[in-house]
Amino acid sequence: MHAKSFYAAGLSALIAATVGTTAIAAEVNIYSYRQPDLIAPLLDAFTEETGIKTNVLFLKKGLVERLKAEGENSPADVIMTTDIGRLSGAKSEGVTQPVENEAINGAIPGSYRDPEGHWFGLTTRGRVIYASKDRVDQDTITYEELADPKWKGKICIRSGQHAYNVALIASMISHLGEEKAETWLASVKDNLARKPGGNDRAQAKGVFAGECDLGIGNTYYVGLMMTNEKEPEQKEWANSIKVLFPNTGDRGTHVNISGMALAKNAPNRDDAIKLMEFLASPKGQEIYAEQVFEYPVDPNAKASDIVNSFGKIKPDTLGLDEIAKNRAAASELVDKVGFNN
Ligand SMILES: [Fe+2]
C-alpha cells in the first residue's frame, strides 16, 4: 500500500512539474496525445466552471504502453487522443473503463462513441480532397471517383498504412465490401502521381507545386496552413487548393474523431467524469473545435468561421466502431495491392 501511494505520488509530482502546477485536492490527471496548448483553453474553462484543477501529461507516443506499465498505480484519469485507431486500441489493450452517463451520451451521437462506453468522440475531421484551384474545374467528387483513369498520375497521398488512410479504407470496405474495395484501392494506386509519403500538408504542397491535381488530407490541416505564421509559405499551399467534400451527394464524407476515454484505474473517477461531461457539452465541444479546426460532434454546436469557410460537410454516419472493426482488413489490403510500393 505504501509502495503504491509513493509510486502514484511520484508520478503526480512529475505531471505537476511538467505543467508547473501544484497538486491540490480536487484534480484530474489527463494523459494526452494532443499538445498542451491545443487543449489548454478547454481545460481552463473547465477549471473556471468547476474549481477542479487539471494536470496534463503530454505524450508523443507510448501512451497505452505507459498505462499498462503503471497498471493499477496509474495516476491517469482521462485519456485524450485523436483517431479511432488509437481510441479503439486503448479499449482493446484494456486500459480504459466504461462510462454510462446520460449527459455524455445525450451530447454525443451514437455513431461517435463506443457502444460499450469505452471511448467518446468530441470533434470530427473530414478526410477530404485538396483540389487544385487552377487545374480542377469540378466542385464535387466521390471517393469512388478517385479510381477513375481520368486522374492518372494526378493524385498525391501519404502512406496507405497511416491511421488516417487505414480508417478511410476501412470505411470503403464497410460500404463496398472487401472485394470491390480492393479493386478500388488498386485503381487509386494506379492514379498516384508519386510514391505515397509525407504528411497531409505535403499533399497540399504537392498540388501547389504542380506535382498533382488532387491531394488527400484532413480538414483541419487547411486551417493550420491558412493561419501558419511560423511557416507562411503554407498559406500559399492552402491558397492553391479548394476543399472538395467527397460523397456529399450520397452517403457523406468519411470522418474520423478526436476523443476521450476514462482510464481503467482512474484515481479521481468522479471528477474525471465531471471533466468528461464538460468536454462533451456543446460549450466544451465548441471551445475544442475552434482550437483544433475541427467539427463538434453535436450537430447543434458550431464550428469556427475558418472551418466553415472550407464549405459544408455532410459526415458519413457509418459508426466509428464499424470502422474500427475493419481496420485490420484495410491495413492488409494496403499491402495486398502494394499501395506504398
Ligand atoms: Fe493529424
Side-chain angles (χ1 to χ4, degrees):
M1 198 60 212
H2 280 296
K4 176 184 170 179
S5 317
F6 180 73
Y7 186 46
L11 282 166
S12 290
L14 178 67
I15 290 171
T18 309
V19 292
T21 57
T22 321
I24 55 158
E27 60 181 64
V28 178
N29 298 324
I30 300 156
Y31 279 20
S32 175
Y33 271 137
R34 302 229 85 174
Q35 289 176 13
D37 55 327
L38 287 183
I39 54 175
L42 190 59
L43 300 179
D44 289 348
F46 169 70
T47 301
E48 199 175 306
E49 200 166 293
T50 62
I52 301 168
K53 281 260 196 189
T54 60
N55 305 307
V56 180
L57 179 68
F58 169 62
L59 293 151
K60 268 204 160 131
K61 55 181 182 181
L63 191 151
V64 166
E65 292 74 10
R66 181 166 179 146
L67 286 167
K68 282 172 97 170
E70 289 169 355
E72 59 183 40
N73 297 317
S74 177
D77 293 304
V78 174
I79 300 164
M80 290 186 76
T81 184
T82 62
D83 203 88
I84 181 58
R86 281 174 167 169
L87 288 162
S88 62
K91 178 189 177 187
S92 59
E93 292 289 332
V95 298
T96 58
Q97 61 172 302
V99 175
E100 184 58 54
N101 178 289
E102 228 172 273
I104 296 174
N105 288 351
I108 302 175
S111 57
Y112 298 129
R113 53 183 156 84
D114 177 39
E116 291 168 353
H118 280 265
W119 48 259
F120 300 87
L122 297 169
T123 55
T124 67
R125 59 272 295 281
R127 193 120 185 96
V128 295
I129 312 303
Y130 304 158
S132 166
K133 276 182 189 167
D134 292 340
R135 300 183 299 280
V136 177
D137 285 334
Q138 64 192 71
D139 290 314
T140 59
I141 202 162
T142 63
Y143 295 112
E144 284 82 349
E145 199 194 315
L146 297 174
D148 190 313
K150 78 175 185 181
W151 299 116
K152 193 150 188 87
K154 297 198 186 305
I155 301 176
C156 285
I157 190 168
R158 76 192 306 166
S159 165
Q161 290 295 2
H162 189 275
Y164 301 159
N165 285 334
V166 170
L168 169 62
I169 296 160
S171 83
M172 294 303 280
I173 293 175
S174 294
H175 288 301
L176 306 178
E178 208 164 328
E179 210 172 297
K180 280 189 182 155
E182 181 180 337
T183 312
W184 170 77
L185 191 62
S187 304
V188 175
K189 177 197 154 53
D190 286 343
N191 286 342
L192 297 183
R194 60 188 188 195
K195 189 173 142 68
N199 54 21
D200 280 359
R201 280 185 249 208
Q203 317 314 320
K205 187 184 180 187
V207 172
F208 170 75
E211 289 175 56
C212 30
D213 288 355
L214 306 179
I216 292 161
N218 287 347
T219 40
Y220 57 89
Y221 287 115
V222 182
L224 290 172
M225 290 187 288
M226 282 168 72
T227 56
N228 199 322
E229 300 303 335
K230 262 192 188 161
E231 264 188 78
E233 63 267 30
Q234 290 194 10
K235 294 182 185 179
E236 294 181 60
W237 308 349
N239 195 36
S240 74
I241 60 152
K242 54 184 176 183
V243 173
L244 302 186
F245 292 93
N247 298 77
T248 300
D250 47 65
R251 64 178 180 267
T253 297
H254 164 67
V255 297
N256 208 317
I257 49 175
S258 75
M260 62 181 178
L262 184 62
K264 186 173 182 191
N265 296 294
N268 307 297
R269 194 177 188 278
D270 291 349
D271 288 335
I273 289 174
K274 280 185 199 149
L275 172 63
M276 292 174 79
E277 285 175 355
F278 178 80
L279 297 179
S281 70
K283 181 183 171 184
Q285 287 186 34
E286 280 181 13
I287 297 172
Y288 192 25
E290 167 109 32
Q291 200 66 25
V292 295
F293 297 113
E294 293 181 341
Y295 300 93
V297 290
D298 183 339
N300 299 313
K302 286 187 287 291
S304 72
D305 290 345
I306 286 182
V307 171
N308 285 327
S309 77
F310 307 158
K312 195 165 165 42
I313 190 167
K314 174 187 166 187
D316 184 348
T317 54
L318 177 69
L320 268 291
D321 61 315
E322 282 301 314
I323 290 173
K325 281 179 207 155
N326 281 333
R327 285 185 78 258
S331 175
E332 279 168 30
L333 222 51
V334 171
D335 283 345
K336 197 172 172 191
V337 306
F339 194 81
N340 288 344
N341 298 347

